[in-house]
Amino acid sequence: MTKKERTNSDWSAARPLLPASGPRRQALYRALRDQIEDGRLCPGDKLPTTRDIAARFGISRGAAVAAYEMLAADGFAEARVGAGTFVAAVVPNLAREGRPPLRNAPDAVAPLPGTLGCSTADATTLRIFRMLMNRHLAKPSARHFHYNDPAGSHALRVEIAAYLKAARGVNCDPEQVIMTSGTQQALDLALRALLKAGDPVWIEDPCYVMARNAFAASGMHIVPVPVDGEGLDVAAGARLAPHARAVYVTPSHQYPLGVTLSMARRLQLIDWAQQAGAYIIEDDYDSEFRFSGPPLSALQGIDGEGRVIYVGTFSKTLLPGFRIGYLVVPWAMRDRVLEVRQLTDRFPSTLAEDALAEFLRDGHFSAHVKRARRRVRAARDALMTVFDEAGLDVEPPEQGLHLVAHLPAGVDDGALVEIAADSGFGVRALSSLHAGPTDKRGLVIGFSGFEPEVLAQAARRFVRDPRFVALSGR
Ligand SMILES: Cc1ncc(COP(=O)(O)O)c(C=O)c1O
């Protein structure tokens, strides 16, 4: 049937099927929109009257009217007075606008072994959490039914302050702890409360791209500062931007290189911040996963002048999906940060907070971290065995959940990422984490979230791929 021939009376040839259940207007909207998007209904085609469509589909006329209104509002149809409703002359082209197709989009793509940032929660942790969540749902606290403190649950903040003092040398009162939706919101709140567009900010180079992007998107002037074997090169930062307003740093375990900021550099950084009146934003991610020796104290505990904003997260220690992180802020900036927090999303999810507070209070968290540390260490060792066999230059990390395989300058590490994906191995190119052109090449590889043998198998497939052997310059 040609487009011209298709009229109101024979429209049923293109008749879509509606799913058996669910709201009728949504189903009709979706079905018609699908037909418009894939070309079965063409620009200018007349759609049947709402009376006709209600009769054909056995739905109410109100549902048909609502579906047509939704199509018109989204630009897929247009109503012409006295003539009826037509497919719009210019249909929004989602694909051409670069938007991902909405249909059949999977909720999430299952990560490949090697992917960074996978959860460390095991079956025991999940079972305990389920039990705690169920308990809090069965006997819900009054907090769930009201609007709450923007800083988050007081009980949870008490637990976090005690944990940070004991484990990380962080000096704080529970009132200085502000719960956030992960590190990402913590960074956003800190920069909104303390900085303004154009402010120079030191960012490690290479760095955690999500942090750099957060600062850049808010109009900060990004100053990439090199990282060497002792962590952030503070002297280089002071040369490049002596009057920077802030520095974002990962001292426990530099992302992505994995080095620890030395004590000499810690003192030098705090000195500079105090003199420059700058803030140090300390992202202490992964500090819980240390495999040997005691960790160095957090910068927050060394600084005596309120220059450090400490950021922590449960994404690595528990589940990224909890979206639970926190800030520890100096007293002087607490009100400002809370004001911004309240404006951006009122207060955190109370149910998850209650379960987590109990998880910490009853010792489940430290037991979980101990178990997780053993598991990820075994996974790290399994990967190391494969890389040693393959003759790759990899230093076994003494902390954290990822390692870096350094490659000779000139190797196309971006191409290796694609070859790895073909082997079912998820890796990241080191060069992509640098602020600009660099001769540094390597692969950043996670070892959390998968059994050691699963990781090792994927890594082995990758290093045995002839394209890897040819490209990696070994
Ligand atoms: C350096 C760094 N900090 C923090 C995080 C955690 O981010 P969030 O707490 O927003 O999940 C990650 C996750 O990959 C990271 O790499």
Side-chain angles (χ1 to χ4, degrees):
M1 186 190 326
T2 66
K3 182 185 158 203
K4 269 213 178 87
E5 286 169 321
R6 199 188 294 152
T7 63
N8 195 4
S9 56
D10 60 27
W11 178 86
S12 57
R15 176 178 164 163
L17 291 173
L18 295 194
S21 60
R24 303 288 77 190
R25 63 187 173 150
Q26 290 284 1
L28 180 60
Y29 163 82
R30 195 66 252 176
L32 289 172
R33 183 175 154 170
D34 281 352
Q35 298 220 340
I36 294 169
E37 283 185 318
D38 64 22
R40 277 173 290 166
L41 287 168
C42 302
D45 276 356
K46 187 170 191 289
L47 295 176
T49 62
T50 50
R51 189 187 304 282
D52 183 16
I53 212 161
R56 284 165 190 254
F57 285 106
I59 64 177
S60 76
R61 183 137 177 246
V65 170
Y68 276 25
E69 283 172 355
M70 287 160 70
L71 285 170
D74 288 350
F76 290 95
E78 51 204 23
R80 295 184 202 151
V81 181
T85 303
F86 296 78
V87 176
V90 182
V91 167
N93 185 333
L94 302 183
R96 214 179 301 139
E97 287 168 12
R99 280 198 261 156
L102 297 174
R103 273 168 293 159
N104 306 324
D107 242 9
V109 180
L112 296 174
T115 302
L116 296 162
C118 293
S119 168
T120 58
D122 60 2
T124 306
T125 296
L126 291 178
R127 184 180 47 73
I128 295 168
F129 238 95
R130 191 167 59 239
M131 186 257 296
L132 294 175
M133 290 285 240
N134 284 344
R135 188 188 298 167
H136 284 282
L137 272 173
K139 234 177 139 206
S141 126
R143 293 174 64 243
H144 309 323
F145 300 90
H146 300 285
Y147 284 81
N148 289 278
D149 187 343
S153 149
H154 188 261
L156 178 55
R157 290 185 288 119
V158 167
E159 295 302 329
I160 289 173
Y163 162 74
L164 290 178
K165 190 175 184 130
R168 303 294 306 119
V170 169
N171 226 333
C172 71
D173 186 276
E175 293 308 316
Q176 292 171 265
V177 180
I178 297 175
M179 300 309 301
T180 63
S181 173
T183 305
Q184 205 59 30
Q185 192 192 28
L187 296 176
D188 186 54
L189 295 180
L191 69 86
R192 281 179 199 240
L194 307 173
L195 303 172
K196 58 182 189 323
D199 279 352
V201 178
W202 296 3
I203 303 278
E204 295 165 322
D205 186 25
C207 75
Y208 177 41
V209 174
M210 291 298 287
R212 183 170 68 210
N213 290 351
F215 289 93
S218 297
M220 310 292 147
H221 170 53
I222 304 294
V223 181
V225 176
V227 174
D228 62 19
E230 281 192 74
L232 182 83
D233 185 343
V234 180
R239 261 193 322 276
L240 290 164
H243 305 298
R245 302 300 308 131
V247 47
Y248 165 78
V249 66
T250 47
S252 271
H253 185 245
Q254 201 276 333
Y255 185 90
L257 298 177
V259 293
T260 304
L261 190 67
S262 69
M263 187 47 83
R265 291 271 176 90
R266 283 172 197 245
L267 298 173
Q268 195 184 3
L269 183 61
I270 289 170
D271 242 25
W272 166 77
Q274 290 177 352
Q275 279 169 30
Y279 297 110
I280 300 171
I281 300 173
E282 175 176 25
D283 179 351
D284 203 27
Y285 88 107
D286 274 2
S287 57
E288 298 80 2
F289 299 106
R290 195 159 176 87
F291 307 122
S292 66
L296 291 179
S297 289
L299 291 167
Q300 197 274 0
I302 305 172
D303 162 45
E305 294 197 13
R307 304 307 324 166
V308 177
I309 294 122
Y310 179 94
V311 183
T313 181
F314 288 96
S315 287
K316 303 296 183 122
T317 42
L318 288 169
L319 298 166
F322 271 145
R323 305 309 305 141
I324 299 186
Y326 50 89
L327 284 161
V328 177
V329 296
W331 280 110
M333 63 186 65
R334 181 174 181 274
D335 287 353
R336 245 181 310 159
V337 176
L338 279 181
E339 205 176 304
V340 181
R341 207 235 177 274
Q342 193 160 29
L343 285 174
T344 52
D345 92 316
R346 295 290 289 257
F347 64 96
S349 157
T350 50
L351 183 61
E353 280 192 323
D354 283 358
L356 182 56
E358 215 164 320
F359 193 75
L360 283 159
R361 194 196 62 205
D362 293 351
H364 299 302
F365 181 71
S366 41
H368 158 76
V369 169
K370 260 191 213 130
R371 282 196 310 276
R373 212 183 277 138
R374 260 199 314 274
R375 259 198 334 275
V376 292
R377 189 187 179 132
R380 176 200 70 171
D381 294 346
L383 270 189
M384 285 303 303
T385 305
V386 176
F387 294 148
D388 283 349
E389 284 164 11
L392 277 177
D393 167 23
V394 185
E395 191 63 36
E398 283 312 319
Q399 179 163 332
L401 303 176
H402 74 260
L403 51 77
V404 184
H406 293 277
L407 295 167
V411 168
D412 184 351
D413 52 5
L416 288 176
V417 170
E418 288 176 23
I419 295 168
D422 289 346
S423 314
F425 194 41
V427 305
R428 191 120 197 216
L430 179 60
S431 59
S432 71
L433 304 175
H434 279 263
T438 175
D439 61 356
K440 300 278 190 274
R441 296 289 185 272
L443 298 173
V444 187
I445 304 164
F447 47 80
S448 58
F450 290 89
E451 291 301 324
E453 14 351 319
V454 174
L455 265 173
Q457 273 166 17
R460 206 165 266 124
R461 277 195 301 273
F462 173 51
V463 298
R464 288 182 180 167
D465 185 313
R467 292 172 299 166
F468 170 78
V469 177
L471 268 179
S472 63
R474 290 168 312 120

